[in-house]
Amino acid sequence: MNKNKKHWFLQGTIGILLTGAGVSMLIEVGFYKHSDPGMILWVLAGTISLIVFMAGLVLMIDSIRYRE
C-alpha cells in the first residue's frame, strides 16, 4: 500500500467515525434539551456536536484527493 492510499484510508476512516459520532451527539443533545438543563448547556453541547459532525464531513470529502 503506497503513501497516498494509506493517507486516503486513514483520513476517510476518521472522517466517517467523526461524522457518525457527530450525528449521535446531535440526537443525544435533542433528548438532553427536553430534560430542561438550561439553555446555555444544550446550545453549547449542540454546537460542539455540530463541530464534530462538520469536521468528519470535511475529512471524509478531503480524503478523496488522496485516492488513486
Side-chain angles (χ1 to χ4, degrees):
M1 194 181 278
N2 64 14
K3 185 178 178 180
N4 279 344
K5 195 151 191 164
K6 284 182 186 178
H7 193 87
W8 164 74
F9 183 76
L10 183 63
Q11 187 171 344
T13 303
I14 292 171
I16 289 172
L17 290 173
L18 284 177
T19 302
V23 169
S24 296
M25 290 167 64
L26 277 171
I27 292 169
E28 190 63 34
V29 168
F31 288 118
Y32 184 61
K33 176 184 174 185
H34 295 289
S35 68
D36 200 28
M39 184 176 164
I40 193 73
L41 290 177
W42 69 262
V43 168
L44 184 62
T47 302
I48 291 169
S49 64
L50 283 173
I51 290 170
V52 171
F53 175 72
M54 294 303 291
L57 285 180
V58 168
L59 283 174
M60 198 169 49
I61 292 169
D62 185 54
S63 72
I64 293 171
R65 69 181 166 141
Y66 295 105
R67 188 171 180 209
E68 291 182 0

